Amino acid sequence: LAPKLSFSYQLRSGTTVFGVLARGFRAPQATELYRLQSGQTVAALDSETIDSLELGIRWNKRRWSGDAAVFEMQKRDSLFRDSDGFNVSGGRSRHRGIEIAVDWQIAESLRLELDGSFASHTYDFDTVAARGETFVSGNDVDTAPRWLGSAELLFDAGNNASVALQWTSVGDYYLDAENRFQYPGHSLVNLRTRIDFTPRLSVTARLNNVFNEAYADRADYAFGRYRYFPGRSRELFIELLYLPTID
């Protein structure tokens, strides 16, 4: 059973408050049931459930629009994998934070888009896993950054040309359940431009990771060492689009 109760109320023209109270669930995956380590057996796993409450506001003005929301979630019967790859069943966690998205039309040809969230993701149970890793209530969930954000400045140059400069940021996060090891996070800058030569011919160029930042798509600490899944270095993509005439 996954009920949902929601409401919205218009305070005045262009401004609305809203709220959502809901429950969701997810059945165990095959990899969680059968991808086990030496000495582990298949457990009678329950479906993972999550209860959530969200309250927020949306606005739409002449040059400003966006929404902001606070949320509280509680997850039960989670299945975690510890740093040595062992399944830890019956887990619980709490998630609370704020999310915001803002679009600002600075000028007719210039727009700024901002997105960000700051949230606390913590364990809500105590146990010692098979290989000794300790899960402590109140510790941050590993590999769950508290801060995520992005900003994009879009410039419509006219004459069928546009440019966009994007900044993305991932905050620091812990790499293990005991919160002993940490990844410092990273920020990246990307650049995109598009030129329409004719209604049928256009070119788009994307320069990702402009400053060639060394970063990890995902990091963890396992088997006594840091492990990094490296992100892509600076790269340029050029796309040529032609739309032929079809009789």
Side-chain angles (χ1 to χ4, degrees):
L1 184 66
K4 177 181 177 180
L5 177 66
S6 63
F7 79 89
S8 63
Y9 178 73
Q10 184 172 322
L11 294 175
R12 54 182 179 271
S13 178
T15 305
T16 303
V17 294
F18 64 90
V20 180
L21 178 64
R23 166 172 288 185
F25 69 91
R26 181 183 68 83
Q29 299 178 1
T31 54
E32 295 171 338
L33 291 169
Y34 305 116
R35 188 182 175 185
L36 305 175
Q37 302 295 323
S38 174
Q40 286 196 297
T41 58
V42 176
L45 301 176
D46 291 328
S47 290
E48 180 180 81
T49 61
I50 185 167
D51 295 317
S52 65
L53 173 64
E54 182 181 12
L55 299 172
I57 184 170
R58 297 188 183 97
W59 66 91
N60 191 350
K61 305 298 182 182
R62 189 169 66 91
R63 290 185 175 273
W64 291 84
S65 65
D67 60 80
V70 293
F71 64 87
E72 169 87 21
M73 299 179 178
Q74 186 174 33
K75 190 186 295 184
R76 296 186 301 277
D77 295 317
S78 301
L79 188 65
F80 295 96
R81 293 183 73 82
D82 67 16
S83 60
D84 289 324
F86 277 68
N87 286 345
V88 180
S89 59
R92 297 187 305 274
S93 59
R94 300 182 69 91
H95 313 265
R96 55 175 68 94
I98 182 171
E99 298 177 335
I100 187 168
V102 176
D103 287 356
W104 178 23
Q105 192 71 41
I106 303 172
E108 183 177 353
S109 60
L110 191 64
R111 186 170 84 253
L112 179 64
E113 298 179 357
L114 302 173
D115 295 277
S117 69
F118 184 80
S120 171
H121 310 277
T122 57
Y123 293 113
D124 195 28
F125 73 115
D126 299 284
T127 191
V128 178
R131 289 288 179 87
E133 186 171 23
T134 302
F135 289 76
V136 178
S137 181
N139 275 7
D140 281 13
V141 174
D142 56 278
T143 70
R146 293 197 171 196
W147 158 258
L148 293 170
S150 69
E152 187 167 11
L153 187 65
L154 300 100
F155 176 61
D156 186 352
N159 300 319
N160 301 316
S162 62
V163 179
L165 182 65
Q166 181 190 54
W167 170 82
T168 63
S169 178
V170 176
D172 58 0
Y173 55 82
Y174 289 105
L175 305 181
D176 64 320
E178 297 178 42
N179 291 180
R180 295 176 299 164
F181 308 100
Q182 197 171 24
Y183 174 70
H186 61 263
S187 296
L188 302 176
V189 174
N190 306 309
L191 183 64
R192 181 179 71 253
T193 185
R194 175 186 174 91
I195 300 175
D196 297 325
F197 296 108
T198 70
R200 299 183 183 280
L201 179 64
S202 65
V203 63
T204 300
R206 292 183 291 119
L207 181 62
N208 295 337
N209 195 1
V210 173
F211 299 109
N212 203 27
E213 181 77 12
Y215 71 101
D217 277 332
R218 185 170 70 85
D220 65 19
Y221 186 89
F223 308 106
R225 67 178 64 182
Y226 288 92
R227 299 193 307 176
Y228 300 100
F229 299 80
R232 303 175 73 93
S233 57
R234 184 191 297 120
E235 52 189 357
L236 175 66
F237 295 92
I238 298 178
E239 173 187 317
L240 185 65
L241 178 64
Y242 174 69
L243 301 175
T245 302
I246 299 177
D247 296 330

